[in-house]
Amino acid sequence: MNNMYDEYGCCASCGYSWCEELSECIRVWETECTGHRRLTKMADFTMEELMLFTIGVLGALGGFMVILQKSKCESICWGCCRRNVEAVIQEEKLRITGHTGDTPRIPEPEDT
């Protein structure tokens, strides 16, 4: 069986878990299951659940780091990013013209 699914066929990465009382896969925030286990401390989680959580967090952090790098942020705080405008301009100059304008351009040899 695929690792995304538990022993009952519930898609754990989709938020589903098995409800014994209803004999079906549910999302606990959508459907109440009185016999459902409560996860309140680390010991309540299985290793698979902890791994899925860890992978999700690392994926989100990786995506955040890519966004920061691409946006040329010099510094960040909650909800704002101070951009390095000069770096963005230099990158666009290089992309469009092949030269940033900061260093002298080496003349290409003339055909004779």
Side-chain angles (χ1 to χ4, degrees):
M1 189 170 273
N2 192 325
N3 288 341
M4 290 177 32
Y5 297 90
D6 66 13
E7 64 270 16
Y8 298 102
C10 301
C11 180
S13 64
C14 305
Y16 287 96
S17 59
W18 181 253
C19 175
E20 194 69 43
E21 179 183 284
L22 301 174
S23 297
E24 65 179 289
C25 298
I26 64 160
R27 288 181 168 154
V28 294
W29 60 91
E30 294 175 343
T31 307
E32 186 175 342
C33 181
T34 56
H36 205 68
R37 69 184 178 124
R38 299 280 183 228
L39 303 173
T40 56
K41 54 188 180 283
M42 288 297 284
D44 294 338
F45 292 89
T46 65
M47 185 56 80
E48 290 81 19
E49 290 168 333
L50 290 173
M51 291 303 292
L52 280 172
F53 174 76
T54 303
I55 290 168
V57 168
L58 291 175
L61 286 174
F64 182 67
M65 296 308 290
V66 167
I67 290 169
L68 285 180
Q69 192 278 328
K70 293 288 184 185
S71 66
K72 303 287 186 226
C73 288
E74 288 182 332
S75 64
I76 59 168
C77 61
W78 296 108
C80 68
C81 169
R82 198 173 114 221
R83 294 187 68 169
N84 183 345
V85 177
E86 287 301 316
V88 174
I89 292 170
Q90 295 292 16
E91 189 175 281
E92 283 300 303
K93 281 183 186 177
L94 183 62
R95 186 181 66 78
I96 293 169
T97 66
H99 190 264
T100 61
D102 290 340
T103 57
R105 199 172 200 158
I106 300 171
E108 295 185 22
E110 294 179 19
D111 291 334
T112 53

